[in-house]
Amino acid sequence: MSELTQEWGTVLANTYGTPPLALVEGKGATVQDEEGKSYIDLLAGIAVNSLGYGHPALVEAVSAQVARLGHVSNLFASEPVIKAGEKVLAHVADPQARVFFCNSGTEANEAAFKLARLTGRRRILAAHHGFHGRTMGALAMTGQPSKRRAFEPMPAGVEFYTYGDIDYLRTLVEQNPTDTAAIILEPIQGETGVIPAPAGFLAAVRALCDEHGILMIVDEVQTGVARTGDFFAFQSEDVLPDVITMAKGLGGGLPIGATIVRGLAEGLFTPGSHGTTFGGNPVSCVAATAVLDTIDDDFIAAVAAKGKSLAQAVEKLPSVDHVRGRGLMLGVVLNAPVAKQAVAEGLNQGLILNAPNESVLRLTPPLVISEEEIATATARLKTVLENIA
């Protein structure tokens, strides 16, 4: 155990346990620990470091802004928040759409929860096994009882449906359609093991929401900002949600979240109905603008291509049953429940991995990962799987 990991437990609350190692610097998709060992990062801070480590556009933008104006609160306007908002909304095909900036994905979903309340209806329908965050409203919509249990009672009104089962969802809605405020879903359930929604499910949910005047809320916290080979994962189907939540890759490593409102949700927020002191912080907003300026159509196409390359290579490895997901958000389904062992052995082989459950490895590398790094990472993963077999 390193000096830094030893000190961790004497300073930090015990919410994460003791980390296995301490990282000190990085470049691109590679990081180094305090002893100088390098690792190819296939996690990217849990799908956060979209431009990897030390990207010049991000470094330059943040350095210049923090020297100029760090924080002003939302009692005043500032250019960075307006620019970032314009860049975000450029990816939404509705000129009436508006964005609320916050600091994280759970806060973005907390805002969505409150929007549902502002409809005057009480029911929110969320998917079993979904994950939307750990603050109370977002946690209430998280379909994982083990995460909710210690903090019950949850805010009332949330009911759960089987992810991907439109017939079940329709039956649930029709029990009380006039009191159903919102349906929330992830296009790909990340924390459960990278499980994509079945083809056509998002379009069917959109039609069901339109039929009954229900908010369609799509959680793009992990899937957004080109992660899946589209800017938003819902763009793989011909739908446009009423509420879109995002965070993670948006700031390229700086804390920022966003809740986009349009359609039935436009106009629900009014002055004083919601807010956050740090939301729209100029430094985080210039980081987001740097990320969005970098992620153009060619960049997104490259993510899709690299995702296919990575998935095809990994699917050929020993002990791999299949690979699911899209773009650079992949779930490697193993033949045995050894994912956590693979994570530990990965560190020995210079590879950062993640196991959302016992039989799945989640791969969410920086979007700037190179084909050469993909080839090296695949070879290291092969060694990992052979060593734990």
Side-chain angles (χ1 to χ4, degrees):
M1 185 179 293
S2 73
E3 182 179 342
L4 287 177
T5 55
Q6 284 181 324
E7 291 179 357
W8 178 278
T10 68
V11 178
L12 279 299
N14 191 28
T15 51
Y16 308 111
T18 301
L21 55 85
L23 302 177
V24 296
E25 63 180 325
K27 190 71 175 177
T30 299
V31 290
Q32 288 187 336
D33 65 19
E34 58 186 322
E35 297 176 352
K37 181 178 178 179
S38 293
Y39 306 80
I40 295 177
D41 185 0
L42 296 185
L43 182 59
I46 316 180
V48 167
N49 300 319
S50 48
L51 301 186
Y53 300 89
H55 193 284
L58 198 58
V59 172
E60 181 180 348
V62 170
S63 300
Q65 183 60 44
V66 77
R68 182 183 180 193
L69 186 69
H71 177 72
V72 296
S73 86
N74 291 297
L75 298 176
F76 303 93
S78 67
E79 184 180 27
V81 67
I82 296 169
K83 279 192 172 181
E86 290 172 344
K87 294 288 183 180
V88 167
L89 294 177
H91 292 279
V92 181
D94 184 349
Q96 301 304 312
R98 297 292 184 267
V99 61
F100 166 77
F101 284 120
C102 53
N103 307 287
S104 65
T106 193
E107 288 181 66
N109 285 324
E110 200 77 18
F113 187 99
K114 292 176 76 173
L115 283 164
R117 286 283 191 260
L118 289 172
T119 65
R121 300 181 179 189
R122 293 177 294 178
R123 301 175 79 206
I124 299 172
L125 307 184
H128 285 297
H129 309 298
F131 181 81
H132 301 292
R134 295 180 184 272
T135 53
M136 290 300 281
L139 185 60
M141 299 187 295
T142 290
Q144 299 178 33
S146 62
K147 289 184 171 65
R148 300 195 311 267
R149 191 171 295 119
F151 306 101
E152 292 175 339
M154 290 284 104
V158 180
E159 301 171 44
F160 293 95
Y161 63 88
T162 304
Y163 185 66
D165 187 338
I166 191 61
D167 293 329
Y168 184 98
L169 181 56
R170 175 175 288 277
T171 298
L172 193 60
V173 166
E174 291 178 349
Q175 289 175 5
N176 195 348
T178 60
D179 200 29
T180 303
I183 297 171
I184 186 169
L185 59 87
E186 300 159 272
I188 301 175
Q189 289 189 329
E191 297 298 318
T192 301
V194 191
I195 301 174
F201 182 66
L202 271 67
V205 172
R206 177 72 273 180
L208 182 60
C209 288
D210 289 341
E211 181 181 349
H212 295 290
I214 297 167
L215 294 179
M216 181 181 183
I217 304 172
V218 175
D219 179 338
E220 292 268 1
V221 169
Q222 189 166 163
T223 54
V225 198
R227 173 57 56 186
T228 67
D230 292 294
F231 186 83
F232 289 120
F234 68 74
Q235 291 170 332
S236 65
E237 297 191 22
D238 188 20
V239 300
L240 188 55
D242 299 292
V243 181
I244 305 161
T245 61
M246 56 193 303
K248 289 193 179 288
L250 179 58
L254 270 74
I256 186 170
T259 305
I260 300 168
V261 296
R262 59 160 301 276
L264 292 175
E266 200 275 322
L268 289 176
F269 277 151
T270 55
S273 61
H274 193 51
T276 173
T277 298
F278 290 103
N281 175 278
V283 179
S284 292
C285 282
V286 297
T289 297
V291 168
L292 297 173
D293 281 342
T294 302
I295 297 179
D296 57 16
D297 290 344
D298 290 339
F299 186 104
I300 295 172
V303 170
K306 287 186 285 190
K308 289 180 181 178
S309 174
L310 178 59
Q312 290 170 355
V314 169
E315 204 153 37
K316 297 174 183 176
L317 298 182
S319 304
V320 174
D321 185 83
H322 65 281
V323 177
R324 61 195 179 204
R326 297 201 303 273
L328 289 172
M329 182 177 177
L330 301 174
V332 181
V333 183
L334 304 176
N335 289 325
V338 293
K340 295 188 185 303
Q341 293 95 307
V343 171
E345 177 61 18
L347 297 180
N348 295 331
Q349 302 302 324
L351 203 59
I352 294 178
L353 300 165
N354 174 255
N357 66 46
E358 293 286 348
S359 299
V360 177
L361 294 171
R362 172 173 48 176
L363 308 184
T364 57
L367 303 182
V368 296
I369 191 171
S370 67
E371 291 287 356
E372 181 181 356
E373 287 170 320
I374 286 174
T376 302
T378 302
R380 292 180 184 180
L381 182 56
K382 181 175 185 290
T383 301
V384 166
L385 296 174
E386 288 173 343
N387 286 355
I388 64 172

